[in-house]
Amino acid sequence: MDRRYCYKDLLPLVVLIVNECNNTGLFTLFKAATLQGMSSYVFVTYAYTVAFLVLLPITFFYRRSRVVPPLSSSILSKIALLGVIGCSSQILGYVGISYSSPTLSSAISNLTPAFTFMLAVICRMEKVAIKSRTTQAKILGSIISISGAFIVTFYKGQSIIIADNSPFVQLRQSNGILTSVDRNWAIGGLLLTACNILLTVWFVFQVEILKDFPDELTMVFFYNLSAAVVASVVGLLGEKNTSAWKIRPDISLISIVCTGIFNKFLSSAIYAWGIHLKGPVYVAMFKPLSIVIAVAMGVMFLGDTLHVGSIIGATIISIGFYTVMWGKATELKEEEEEEEDVGSQESPTTENVPLLQSNKTVNSTKKIDGSV
């Protein structure tokens, strides 16, 4: 029982928390690289290529040493589609971060649980009973989260932590809501929202693939292969400057290698494992943990300015997120109680059979043995 609890509950909790911390740190590293002129399209292409090259020998020896499910053309086509969805999400996300900041990315990522819940309802992976308090909590939480995303995207407000000590920054940000909307910030917010919508589709679509092909590592390998191909095509169309494809041995190279290994490979494998084990909604619930880490890293390492709008919006999104999670946790608890009730009402075992009935069974068995 203890081992089952550690693998089913404790291990996913710890691994997914560490994974979100890892991803937030990589987003900050990417932002630092873009500040030195690295292209988002080049970054995504090279990161997926690094992940594919690292996975190539690992997957080869893994499939030779174990009995794994066979690959079919339908599975490969689904994984290729998964690559298109995931690559599109990543390109939108990294371009959005280049327009804004990792802090905004982490704040808007709080929308992922709400989007995942709504898509899971559409795909009939989640139960919906309007009169149930758990369903009402999940619907209300989704609405609150989306409202908070609009605030954090279109309202910056007064500065709380100012990276630039110039008094002009304070004066400019202290005006009303109309002047607090920054064009790049809004564009980045919209791109990041689209990124998280596609990320939700990416989570839920993996459930369908893993039902027919329960091999996470092989799925991640072919996913990175197809995503690298898509990213290369999009990158060649989006980045016409040939000099941008030449990576210097500085923070750009470090960011690409680290993201390829720890995000595209390791994080994708963790997500696939978590979705297969606990479902897409459970995996999505850890996204809001990144906001605190992103704020701290952005202020310390990137010189980001922390605004009131980000705090208010992130707080509202977090309230919506925890409302959804409360509904989900309560629903799981009720399902476990129902399973226990059903188990207790099952037919009695031979240990609970009356003594007279047990003797009759033994005697009839002896007669059958004698006749044989």
Side-chain angles (χ1 to χ4, degrees), residues 311-329:
I311 298 296
I312 295 174
T315 302
I316 292 174
I317 291 173
S318 298
I319 292 171
F321 157 73
Y322 286 111
T323 303
V324 173
M325 287 306 106
W326 177 85
K328 181 65 178 176

Side-chain angles (χ1 to χ4, degrees), residues 63-281:
R63 290 188 65 85
R64 287 193 63 181
S65 61
R66 296 192 179 190
V67 178
V68 292
L71 276 168
S72 62
S73 57
S74 62
I75 294 297
L76 286 173
S77 61
K78 288 180 180 179
I79 296 176
L81 179 57
L82 184 72
V84 174
I85 296 169
C87 181
S88 302
S89 171
Q90 293 295 292
I91 290 174
L92 289 172
Y94 285 116
V95 173
I97 291 174
S98 65
Y99 272 100
S100 54
S101 72
T103 302
L104 181 63
S105 173
S106 298
I108 293 183
S109 70
N110 292 354
L111 282 171
T112 305
F115 286 152
T116 305
F117 164 70
M118 290 188 290
L119 187 59
V121 169
I122 295 171
C123 297
R124 297 183 179 180
M125 295 179 184
E126 287 284 323
K127 296 179 181 178
V128 177
I130 301 299
K131 295 182 179 180
S132 171
R133 60 174 185 169
T134 57
T135 300
Q136 292 173 355
K138 289 187 285 187
I139 293 173
L140 179 63
S142 301
I143 296 172
I144 293 173
S145 294
I146 294 171
S147 302
F150 277 107
I151 293 174
V152 79
T153 302
F154 295 107
Y155 175 65
K156 292 181 76 173
Q158 189 174 358
S159 303
I160 297 176
I161 300 175
I162 307 173
D164 188 352
N165 292 325
S166 172
F168 174 72
V169 176
Q170 176 67 37
L171 179 63
R172 184 183 63 181
Q173 298 298 336
S174 62
N175 292 329
I177 184 172
L178 293 177
T179 59
S180 66
V181 177
D182 183 83
R183 183 180 178 184
N184 287 344
W185 189 268
I187 292 172
L190 291 173
L191 290 172
L192 290 167
T193 302
C195 162
N196 281 278
I197 293 173
L198 287 176
L199 183 63
T200 298
V201 178
W202 188 74
F203 280 151
V204 174
F205 192 46
Q206 285 188 61
V207 177
E208 297 299 319
I209 295 175
L210 291 169
K211 281 181 182 178
D212 301 326
F213 186 72
D215 185 358
E216 295 91 341
L217 186 62
T218 304
M219 185 194 75
V220 171
F221 168 74
F222 284 104
Y223 158 72
N224 278 282
L225 173 60
S226 59
V229 173
V230 174
S232 300
V233 174
V234 175
L236 291 172
L237 294 174
E239 184 56 70
K240 302 294 180 63
N241 185 12
T242 55
S243 62
W245 292 89
K246 299 177 182 178
I247 303 299
R248 298 183 301 274
D250 54 10
I251 192 172
S252 300
L253 181 61
I254 296 172
S255 177
I256 288 170
V257 173
C258 290
T259 301
I261 296 173
F262 296 108
N263 181 269
K264 307 307 177 195
F265 164 33
L266 190 60
S267 181
S268 297
I270 289 172
Y271 281 141
W273 169 74
I275 289 169
H276 193 198
L277 188 68
K278 304 289 287 185
V281 177

Side-chain angles (χ1 to χ4, degrees), residues 1 9 17 56 70 205 289 297 333 364:
M1 181 63 71
D9 296 303
I17 289 174
L56 183 60
F205 192 46
L289 297 174
M297 287 186 173
K333 186 177 179 181
S364 61

